């Protein structure tokens, strides 16, 4: 009996902002770290300057490279070393851009954080919808060649998010997954476990844009925050204080009338001087999440609000799946954790759908009355790592090991086997 | 989307001020009536007025700045200084243009007065929750 199938699989969900990693069968990820690598490039620069004697400079460069590899940090440690090291973000907008950094990142994840031997565990990684097949090939190559894993399954994030669904006994495999992450937002319809690829929609507004918008608003108001720290402060403000409002004009009035209840204080320490500072947080609390519902307040090129996009996506799906899709709109991703996000989204989508039903009723001269369409936006407390949880659930079923691509297959056929993902059969 | 005009107890100037902080972010408006067009013009004017108030630390200075703004020329639709070419129909005659100019001048004065009461606190210091919007640029493209 293959020893690696008796050990739990390793599930790593790489996102633009955060990476969630852990072992299958667990309820929550063991580690949730920012997807960032800090390299010390001063070594490499030192070596490069001596170009006179070529042979000694090669050795110096090689040593510099080795030293640079040893002096690498990922995650929270990397953020704290931002003054001495260069920060690299390997994943942009859901796609891996810097494979070198990604390999280092995985190396540290496996050996430093999870502290397991990759040869002993099957791996379940995740990918964004609409990833290039070449990307999957590179991933497969890195996993099989560098880490020598016995088996690999690259899952689509949306299907995992659906599998994580709130109902443990009956898992609905039909629904629309609204995945709002740090770098990209995707609306993906899934019917009976199959992703309807032609209906996938995405918008260029995501968690990072909310942070940038909040940073901009605070800067316009002249809050006393040191410029190098302002992005981090904006991010923490977003995660702690932001909420979704039902109507921005009414919210402005509420803020004006009861400042003590709505205006919060943020206290921090300046990184360079160590002096404490405090600033006020007011209307950016609700204007931040508002950019999902009115993107033009942040980005003048893009106008479609998220509820309209979800509706467009479902309308482009096959007609017999539409009611089921409306009934199961699942939220996933850290940026859906804003308070009341689910209620606002449900209200707005319902409004669009009801308007359409009314219009068609009027057009048919009030003869054909359709059943009202039930719109349900599902949210649950584990939204920020729902994808990881789905992976954990999937990787703890026995069918997982048969669905994986094994090392033997890789050696026989090459990296191109990773281009396709077998549909997972035993989920029901 | 901008909001259209409502009840009789508050007038259009109150509405423009109440909705200003929300509307200033938008660049596309759904115009259903001439009142909406006036709302857009007033939103633009409030933005201009706030920019003038940017350096003024007290209510007295602010009042002076706003009075100066009121003394400047008021362009009407058709003239080169008017911010929204094509939004309003052009005045038919010189008399109509003068009538329109006077109307705009009056509404601008009234708006500045009410704006001062919200932009400055009771003790005369500037209210940063309003003056932050002086930095916002109300650039607009109008979808009719």
């Amino acid at each position: 009996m293959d020893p690696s199938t008796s050990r739990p699989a390793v599930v790593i969900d790489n996102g633009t902002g955060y990476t969630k990693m852990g072992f299958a069968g667990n309820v929550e990820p063991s580690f949730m770290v920012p997807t960032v690598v800090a390299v010390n490039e001063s070594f490499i620069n030192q070596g490069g300057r001596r170009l006179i004697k070529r042979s000694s400079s090669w050795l110096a460069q090689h040593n510099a490279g080795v030293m640079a590899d040893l002096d690498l940090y990922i995650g929270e440690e990397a953020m704290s070393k931002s003054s001495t090291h260069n920060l690299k973000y390997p994943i942009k907008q859901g796609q891996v851009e810097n494979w070198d950094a990604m390999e280092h990142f995985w190396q540290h994840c496996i050996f430093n954080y999870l502290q397991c031997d990759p040869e002993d565990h099957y791996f379940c990684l995740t990918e964004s919808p609409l990833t290039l097949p070449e990307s999957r090939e590179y991933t497969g190559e890195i996993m099989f060649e560098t880490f020598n894993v016995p088996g690999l399954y690259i899952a689509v994030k949306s299907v995992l998010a659906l599998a994580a669904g709130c109902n443990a006994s009956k898992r609905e495999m039909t629904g629309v997954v609204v995945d709002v992450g740090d770098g990209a937002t995707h609306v993906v319809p899934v019917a009976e476990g199959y992703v309807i690829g032609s209906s996938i929609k995405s918008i260029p507004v995501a968690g990072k844009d909310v942070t940038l918008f909040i940073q901009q608003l605070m800067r316009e108001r002249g809050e006393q925050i040191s410029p190098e720290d302002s992005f981090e402060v904006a991010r923490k403000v977003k995660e702690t204080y932001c909420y979704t409002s039902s109507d921005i004009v009414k919210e402005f009035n509420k803020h004006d009338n009861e400042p003590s209840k709505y205006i919060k204080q943020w206290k921090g320490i300046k990184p360079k001087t160590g002096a404490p500072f405090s600033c006020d947080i007011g209307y950016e609390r609700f204007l931040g999440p508002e950019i999902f519902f009115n993107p033009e307040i942040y980005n003048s090129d893009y106008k479609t609000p998220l509820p309209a996009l979800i509706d467009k996506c479902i309308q482009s799906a096959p007609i017999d799946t539409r009611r089921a899709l409306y009934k199961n709109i699942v939220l996933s991703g850290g940026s859906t954790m804003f308070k009341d996000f689910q209620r606002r989204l449900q209200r707005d989508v319902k409004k669009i759908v009801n308007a359409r039903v009314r219009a068609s009723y009027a057009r048919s001269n009030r003869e054909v009355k359709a059943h009202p369409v039930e719109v349900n936006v599902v949210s649950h407390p584990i939204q920020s790592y729902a994808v990881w949880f789905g992976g954990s659930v999937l990787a703890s079923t026995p069918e997982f090991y048969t669905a994986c691509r094994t090392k033997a297959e890789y050696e026989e056929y090459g990296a191109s086997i990773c281009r396709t993902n077998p549909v997972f059969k035993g989920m029901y | 989307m901008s909001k259209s005009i409502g009840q009789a107890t508050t007038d259009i100037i109150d509405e423009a001020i109440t909705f200003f902080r929300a509307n200033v972010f938008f660049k596309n408006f759904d115009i259903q009536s001439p009142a909406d067009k006036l709302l857009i013009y007033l939103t633009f004017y409030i933005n201009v007025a706030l920019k003038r108030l940017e350096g003024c630390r007290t209510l007295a200075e602010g009042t002076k700045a706003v009075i100066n703004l009121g003394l400047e020329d008021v362009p009407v639709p058709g003239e080169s200084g008017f911010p929204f070419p094509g939004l309003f129909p052009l005045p038919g005659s010189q008399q109509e243009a003068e009538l329109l100019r006077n109307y705009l001048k009056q509404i601008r004065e009234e708006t500045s007065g009410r704006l001062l009461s919200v932009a400055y606190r009771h003790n005369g210091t500037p209210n940063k929750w309003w003056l932050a919007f002086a930095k916002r640029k109300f650039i607009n493209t109008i979808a009719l």
Side-chain angles (χ1 to χ4, degrees), chain B residues 56-118:
Chain B
C56 308
R57 301 245 159 258
T58 66
L59 184 57
E61 276 181 49
T63 321
K64 229 186 328 182
V66 135
I67 292 176
N68 280 336
L69 178 59
L71 293 174
E72 288 173 17
D73 283 331
V74 176
V76 290
E79 287 174 16
S80 61
F82 194 71
F84 308 109
L87 178 61
F88 291 97
L90 300 178
S93 64
Q94 192 63 2
Q95 269 175 319
E96 245 186 78
E98 280 313 305
L99 197 61
L100 193 52
R101 201 190 303 275
N102 272 328
Y103 176 74
L104 288 179
K105 205 161 183 196
Q106 277 189 352
I107 203 170
R108 280 159 72 124
E109 261 182 59
E110 186 58 36
T111 311
S112 329
R114 295 193 206 175
L115 181 64
L116 284 174
S117 63
V118 278

Side-chain angles (χ1 to χ4, degrees), chain A residues 213 216-217 220-221 223 248-249 252-253 256 263 280 282-283 287 294 296-297 300 303, chain B residues 1 3 18-19 21-23 25-28 127-133 135-136 141:
Chain A
F213 187 53
Q216 194 183 27
L217 286 175
E220 276 175 11
R221 209 168 51 233
E223 296 287 353
I248 44 178
V249 181
F252 268 118
N253 279 336
D256 281 337
I263 297 182
D280 289 328
Y283 49 77
L287 280 180
N294 281 310
E296 58 181 333
I297 64 180
S300 53
K303 295 181 190 63
Chain B
M1 299 291 231
K3 325 279 179 185
T18 316
F19 287 102
R21 283 181 295 180
N23 281 348
F25 289 104
F26 290 92
K27 294 174 178 54
N28 293 291
N127 182 354
K128 68 175 176 177
W129 304 107
W130 267 95
L131 287 176
F133 290 91
K135 296 200 178 65
R136 277 269 141 196
T141 48

Side-chain angles (χ1 to χ4, degrees), chain A residues 307-317 319 322-323 326 348-364 368-375:
Chain A
L309 195 78
I310 296 177
D311 185 66
K312 217 158 70 155
C313 165
I314 298 181
Q315 288 300 310
S316 69
I319 196 166
R322 286 180 204 167
R323 273 184 195 270
Y326 275 118
D348 286 356
V349 176
K350 238 192 184 117
K351 226 191 306 196
I352 302 176
V353 167
N354 287 346
R356 186 183 311 118
V357 170
R358 267 202 305 275
S360 76
Y361 179 60
R363 254 204 308 277
S364 69
V368 181
K369 189 155 173 46
H371 283 291
V373 178
E374 187 190 328
V375 174

